[in-house]
Amino acid sequence: MLERYFKLSEHGTTVKVELLAGLTTFLTMAYIIFVNPMIMSKAGVDQGAAFVATCVGAAFASALMGLWAKYPVALAPGMGLNAYFSYGVVLGMGHTWQVALGAVFLSGVLFLIISVLPIREKIVNAIPMSQKMAIGAGIGLFLAIIALENAGIVVAHPATIVTLGKIGAPTALLACLGFVLIIALDYRKIPGAIMIAILAITVVGIGMGLSKFNGIVSAPPSLAPTFLQMDIMGALSVGLVSIVFAFFMVDLFDNTGTLISIAPRAGMMDSHGRLKRIGPAFISDSIACMVGAALGTSTVTSYIESAAGIRAGGRTGLTAVVVAVLFLVSVFLAPLATSIPGFATAPALFFVACVMAGSIVKIDWEDVTEYAPAVVTMIAMPLTFSIATGIALGFIAYVVAKLLSGRVKDVHPIMGVLAILFVIKLAVT
């Protein structure tokens, strides 16, 4: 049955290889079941419900991608967007987490619309490469400052805004140890490097009496506190347009970038260099985003960690289905998830930030009209604590810089319209 449905032999793979690939992918991204509930809880979301929503949302999304699009790509709540959800939209702007979930749902609806209609490529092509890369790097910097704050390495200061915290504190030292441990494990290409480091620091922290051990396995917590709690009407208010747009844009670029980057190795491209079954893949991602919001978690999107499973031989949707099963089984690990302290997840956040910051190498550093607006985007995100504001200021800077430089032809009409809308939004804020 598996051979007929996934055409394993046609793709040069076997059930055994696909199972191993699925396990490899899961191990590289399983840290999200510990990190995401903690980040969501900062917004007031019930941590137990967020844990179940994370696992079930990732399981549903990965299964949909595997069974329909038949891609060896796994999905889960995206890093960066979950931080924006809690620290930016809820804590920073003062919106309720229910309204934030509504914004996530609406961004999924927008993604579904452009995936069904032939306008997705037009939007992607309208945004210059420098801004696409700056958004990824900016989110990385946004994650970095959150990670450093969670570890107690960076603290608030009335005069300098931020300053060095108690770097000699046990929790800060453990966070630093966790970070270098991830680097060492990742360099040695050990699957699950991030998860191994999180668990190792947690064990040490418990042994030192810095955190409490709550067990490993139990019945799943109730999903009731977050299930269908999204406030769509609240998210439809004019003030949240830029927030919905931010969720939408980042998910669009995340999903597109992930699929394009891993497609050649997985045999997902045709002879003309186009992605096969791209329609079902994008629709799967948009549906996953909406279902995730309904369950009670931030944007669910494709994970670049899927590349680990592809390196292990994964070539069909069976790889993603294996990941889905493993995420579903993980709902019984709630006690372990609640045992993991912030100083153990901070290294994971900072490492992901480092990976995302790597996109700056694709910016044209010889053209000031490209790199200067890109820097605006990157710096504005962490300093304003808002991905939406970073995108807005960067887009405006890009369009104005091009116009004043006499390079009007470099500005796509869609980019120009977006910049004008952002000016209006910032003016009335």
Side-chain angles (χ1 to χ4, degrees):
M1 181 184 68
L2 294 175
E3 167 62 36
R4 289 196 304 271
Y5 189 80
F6 292 107
K7 299 179 180 179
L8 301 178
S9 57
E10 181 179 319
H11 289 86
T13 185
T14 64
V15 172
K16 181 180 179 180
V17 171
E18 295 290 300
L19 290 175
L20 178 60
L23 176 61
T24 302
T25 296
F26 175 75
L27 289 175
T28 61
M29 62 186 291
Y31 66 88
I32 195 64
I33 66 178
F34 305 129
V35 178
N36 193 58
M38 183 171 293
I39 293 177
M40 296 292 291
S41 68
K42 300 294 184 181
V45 180
D46 180 84
Q47 189 167 349
F51 170 79
V52 176
T54 299
C55 295
V56 176
F60 170 83
S62 299
L64 184 62
M65 181 68 79
L67 293 173
W68 188 21
K70 298 181 181 179
Y71 275 15
V73 176
L75 297 87
M79 291 296 295
L81 283 173
N82 52 8
Y84 177 56
F85 179 101
S86 293
Y87 294 94
V89 179
V90 177
L91 297 178
M93 302 178 193
H95 298 292
T96 66
W97 59 265
Q98 292 90 342
V99 168
L101 284 177
V104 172
F105 182 86
L106 291 176
S107 70
V109 173
L110 283 177
F111 197 12
L112 178 61
I113 292 173
I114 70 160
S115 297
V116 173
L117 300 177
I119 59 177
R120 175 185 54 80
E121 290 186 8
K122 293 182 180 179
I123 295 177
V124 173
N125 294 334
I127 310 301
M129 177 62 72
S130 60
Q131 284 299 310
K132 292 175 185 175
M133 297 301 101
I135 290 173
I139 294 174
L141 296 177
F142 182 62
L143 278 178
I145 195 169
I146 292 173
L148 292 173
E149 191 276 332
N150 285 348
I153 297 174
V154 168
V155 296
H157 191 281
T160 60
I161 303 178
V162 294
T163 188
L164 183 66
K166 295 181 179 179
I167 192 68
T171 53
L173 291 175
L174 285 177
C176 294
L177 175 61
F179 178 64
V180 295
L181 179 59
I182 293 174
I183 293 175
L185 294 173
D186 186 73
Y187 177 77
R188 295 174 181 275
K189 301 187 184 304
I190 296 176
I194 295 178
M195 188 177 69
I196 292 172
I198 289 176
L199 294 176
I201 297 302
T202 297
V203 170
V204 175
I206 292 173
M208 296 175 62
L210 299 174
S211 58
K212 181 182 177 182
F213 179 62
N214 299 317
I216 298 178
V217 178
S218 74
S222 173
L223 190 61
T226 59
F227 185 62
L228 295 181
Q229 294 299 307
M230 53 192 180
D231 183 357
I232 297 177
M233 295 306 297
L236 284 171
S237 65
V238 177
L240 265 75
V241 170
S242 62
I243 297 174
V244 173
F245 182 74
F247 280 126
F248 163 73
M249 289 293 287
V250 178
D251 186 26
L252 177 62
F253 293 149
D254 268 2
N255 187 253
T256 303
T258 296
L259 295 181
I260 290 176
S261 64
I262 65 179
R265 183 72 179 268
M268 292 154 49
M269 282 187 170
D270 60 22
S271 57
H272 300 289
R274 295 173 298 192
L275 285 168
K276 302 175 184 177
R277 304 182 302 280
I278 188 61
F282 273 98
I283 293 175
S284 295
D285 187 84
S286 59
I287 293 175
C289 181
M290 292 185 286
V291 171
L295 291 171
T297 187
S298 54
T299 307
V300 175
T301 189
S302 301
Y303 260 57
I304 192 63
E305 283 85 346
S306 301
I310 292 173
R311 284 198 298 268
R315 294 294 181 271
T316 73
L318 182 56
T319 295
V321 173
V322 172
V323 176
V325 172
L326 293 173
F327 267 119
L328 204 55
V329 173
S330 298
V331 297
F332 297 99
L333 299 177
L336 179 60
T338 58
S339 299
I340 295 176
F343 60 80
T345 57
L349 286 176
F350 199 78
F351 182 75
V352 173
C354 293
V355 174
M356 297 183 73
S359 61
I360 63 173
V361 300
K362 297 181 181 179
I363 296 174
D364 184 359
W365 293 99
E366 299 297 325
D367 186 346
V368 67
T369 64
E370 293 288 337
Y371 72 73
V375 171
V376 171
T377 301
M378 290 186 286
I379 296 298
M381 285 187 187
L383 295 185
T384 64
F385 237 64
S386 171
I387 292 175
T389 301
I391 293 175
L393 294 177
F395 279 22
I396 293 170
Y398 180 88
V399 172
V400 174
K402 291 292 185 180
L403 293 180
L404 295 181
S405 301
R407 296 170 60 176
V408 181
K409 292 183 179 180
D410 288 354
V411 180
H412 193 285
I414 293 178
M415 189 69 175
V417 171
L418 291 174
I420 293 173
L421 292 176
F422 278 135
V423 169
I424 296 173
K425 173 62 175 63
L426 293 175
V428 300
T429 299

